[in-house]
Amino acid sequence: MAKTIRNEFDKYLTYDNLMKAHILSRKGKNYKKEVILFNLKQEEYIKWLYQQLKNGTYNHSGYRVFYIQEPKPRKVEASKYIDRIVHRWIVDSFLDKYFISQFIENSYACIKNRGMHKAAIDVQNTMKHCSRIWDEYYIIKMDIRKYFQNIDKDILMSILKRKVKEEKLVKLLENIVFSNSGKKGIPIGNYTSQIFANIYLNELDQYVKHKLKCKYYFRYMDDAIIFVKTKPEAKKILETIQIFLEEELELELNEKTQIFKSKQGVNFCGYKINQYRIKIRDRGKKAIKRKIKNLTKEIKDGNLTTQEASKYISGHLGYIKIANTKNLEEKIFYTDN
C-alpha cells in the first residue's frame, strides 16, 4: 500500500460506500428517532450527502452535549446522525486502511483483534519473560492528563497531512477536526475520535520504541506501561518521555504516573496483572454488579426483555472471561447485593 494518500477521495466516494457506512452506523440504534427518520428517506439522504461531499460543500453540523459518570465523569459531544455516516465512511475508507498498518504491535485500543484481552494477556506474558531474564525489574506506569480534551488540533492536522496529500480529503478532515470549539480537544462521541487519538499518540509509540529503544512497551489509548531492568533507567526514560510529550504533543502526564517494583503487579485495561494471574479490579466488579442490578430492575418493570438485557451485558461477560479468579462469574451474577 502507498505510504501517502493521493487521488483516492473520488475512488471511495460512492453511493454504495456511503450506504454501507449508514448501515454500519445505525447498527444497534434503529430505535432512535433520528435514525428512524433517516431510514424513511435513506436513499434521498445518501444521494444528497454524496453530492455535498463530491462538490466540497459538506459542512459538519453542531453537537448535542451531555455528561456521563461511568467509568468517570466526562463531557460527550454527540454529532448529528448524518455526520456520523461521514465519520464512518472516512475511517473505513482512509484512516484505518492507511494509518493502522503504521502503528506498533503493542498499541491496542480500537484496533481489530487488538483489544483489552490481548493487551492484558500480552502484558502478562511479557511479565513472565522479564521475570525469567531479570528476576526483579521495574514498571513505568503512565497516564496522560485529560487526554481527549488536550489533543492539539493543529498538531493533529500536521500529523495527518504527512500521509494525506489529497486536498479534498485534507479539507474534510479539517472540517471534522475543527468542528467543535477550542484550540484543543476532540469530541469523545465522534467515531473518528478514537482513530485520531491513536494517530496522535502513535508519535509517542514510535519515539519510545525506536528512539528510546524500549523493548517492553504497551499502550492502550492514554494508558501506557514500560518494563525496564533498573530504577535509574526507569527514571531517565520517564523524564525523557515527559519532555517529549510536552514539547512535541503539548500533553502532560497526570498524578497516576509512577515507577514501582514488578512484584506489585500492574493495573492495565481494567485488570490487576502479575505473572501468575489476571484479576478484575474492584472498580470493575462494582460496575458490573451495578449494571446487573439495573438490568434486573428494568426486566421486572417490563421495560426490557431478557434477550435485550443479554445484549447489554455481553460486553461485561467478555471483560471477565480471561480473569483467573475462581467462580468469578457466579460471584458477580448470582448475588443478593
Side-chain angles (χ1 to χ4, degrees):
M1 182 177 289
K3 292 184 179 180
T4 58
I5 306 175
R6 299 175 188 270
N7 305 316
E8 297 284 284
F9 189 88
D10 290 330
K11 175 182 173 181
Y12 289 101
L13 178 59
T14 65
Y15 174 90
D16 288 343
N17 282 343
L18 290 176
M19 180 60 75
K20 181 181 178 182
H22 158 51
I23 292 168
L24 291 171
S25 297
R26 75 185 181 187
K27 190 175 181 180
K29 300 180 178 68
N30 276 313
Y31 63 92
K32 291 192 174 183
K33 183 179 178 181
E34 61 178 339
V35 179
I36 292 170
L37 293 174
F38 192 96
N39 283 336
L40 291 173
K41 295 183 177 181
Q42 61 181 19
E43 290 85 1
E44 293 178 35
Y45 286 132
I46 293 296
K47 287 177 182 176
W48 177 86
L49 184 57
Y50 170 82
Q51 289 299 328
Q52 292 284 304
L53 291 166
K54 185 78 172 177
N55 300 333
T57 53
Y58 165 81
N59 272 308
H60 198 282
S61 311
Y63 289 91
R64 178 174 60 89
V65 179
F66 59 95
Y67 295 85
I68 59 172
Q69 299 303 315
E70 296 292 341
K72 59 184 177 182
R74 285 181 176 177
K75 176 185 176 183
V76 178
E77 295 173 282
S79 300
K80 292 185 178 180
Y81 181 70
I82 198 162
D83 295 314
R84 295 204 294 273
I85 295 173
V86 177
H87 298 167
R88 186 88 201 201
W89 173 71
I90 201 170
V91 170
D92 292 351
S93 299
F94 305 106
L95 300 181
D96 277 359
K97 191 174 298 182
Y98 282 90
F99 283 90
I100 288 179
S101 62
Q102 308 300 312
F103 292 171
I104 65 168
E105 183 181 358
N106 293 337
S107 170
Y108 296 90
C110 307
I111 302 171
K112 188 176 180 180
N113 299 322
R114 281 198 261 167
M116 288 168 46
H117 289 180
K118 179 168 174 52
I121 291 169
D122 285 355
V123 164
Q124 186 186 50
N125 287 337
T126 304
M127 293 178 85
K128 292 176 183 178
H129 173 73
C130 290
S131 182
R132 286 195 297 269
I133 63 173
W134 292 329
D135 190 18
E136 283 193 349
Y137 56 95
Y138 285 82
I139 300 173
I140 306 169
K141 178 75 164 61
M142 298 178 290
D143 199 303
I144 294 173
R145 187 184 306 279
K146 296 181 178 179
Y147 178 48
F148 278 78
Q149 297 97 309
N150 285 312
I151 291 176
D152 185 281
K153 296 173 184 177
D154 289 323
I155 295 174
L156 173 59
M157 279 308 308
S158 70
I159 295 169
L160 292 168
K161 286 178 181 179
R162 289 185 212 151
K163 187 171 286 290
V164 182
K165 302 301 182 181
E166 187 167 2
E167 189 58 36
K168 285 183 179 179
L169 187 53
V170 169
K171 182 181 176 183
L172 182 57
L173 287 168
E174 287 175 338
N175 204 318
I176 295 170
V177 169
F178 295 100
S179 59
N180 62 330
S181 61
K183 179 182 182 295
K184 291 188 175 184
I186 58 175
I188 292 174
N190 278 2
Y191 187 69
T192 50
S193 292
Q194 301 289 348
I195 183 68
F196 284 158
N198 261 335
I199 290 169
Y200 201 80
L201 273 189
N202 180 55
E203 300 295 299
L204 173 65
D205 299 344
Q206 300 298 330
Y207 179 74
V208 171
K209 293 290 285 186
H210 302 300
K211 295 291 185 181
L212 300 184
K213 306 293 183 181
C214 295
K215 188 174 181 180
Y216 308 117
Y217 166 79
F218 305 83
R219 182 178 65 80
Y220 191 96
M221 200 50 71
D222 58 341
D223 196 3
I225 53 178
I226 307 174
F227 302 145
V228 296
K229 186 176 181 180
T230 67
K231 192 170 185 179
E233 182 185 3
K235 286 182 175 179
K236 184 177 179 180
I237 289 170
L238 182 55
E239 289 171 3
T240 306
I241 287 172
Q242 287 174 319
I243 293 169
F244 175 85
L245 285 171
E246 290 172 9
E247 293 184 351
E248 301 298 326
L249 300 176
E250 294 192 12
L251 295 172
E252 294 179 353
L253 296 173
N254 66 22
E255 64 282 352
K256 295 178 185 177
T257 298
Q258 55 185 314
I259 296 169
F260 48 89
K261 290 183 178 180
S262 58
K263 64 182 180 181
Q264 294 180 227
V266 63
N267 293 329
F268 193 61
C269 293
Y271 300 102
K272 179 73 174 182
I273 308 169
N274 64 32
Q275 63 176 312
Y276 304 108
R277 65 183 64 86
I278 299 175
K279 297 174 67 176
I280 291 179
R281 297 173 65 187
D282 289 341
R283 186 174 66 183
K285 292 179 184 178
K286 289 177 183 178
I288 295 173
K289 286 184 178 182
R290 187 163 54 247
K291 185 72 172 179
I292 292 293
K293 184 176 181 180
N294 291 338
L295 288 174
T296 302
K297 184 178 184 303
E298 290 294 303
I299 293 170
K300 287 181 179 179
D301 293 344
N303 299 325
L304 204 64
T305 67
T306 53
Q307 188 176 10
E308 289 170 333
S310 66
K311 291 180 181 179
Y312 284 113
I313 207 64
S314 61
H316 292 294
L317 288 170
Y319 168 58
I320 69 173
K321 74 179 182 181
I322 66 165
N324 300 121
T325 305
K326 185 179 179 181
N327 297 323
L328 181 59
E329 290 188 34
E330 286 80 2
K331 290 179 181 180
I332 292 176
F333 291 102
Y334 301 97
T335 177
D336 295 328
N337 294 332

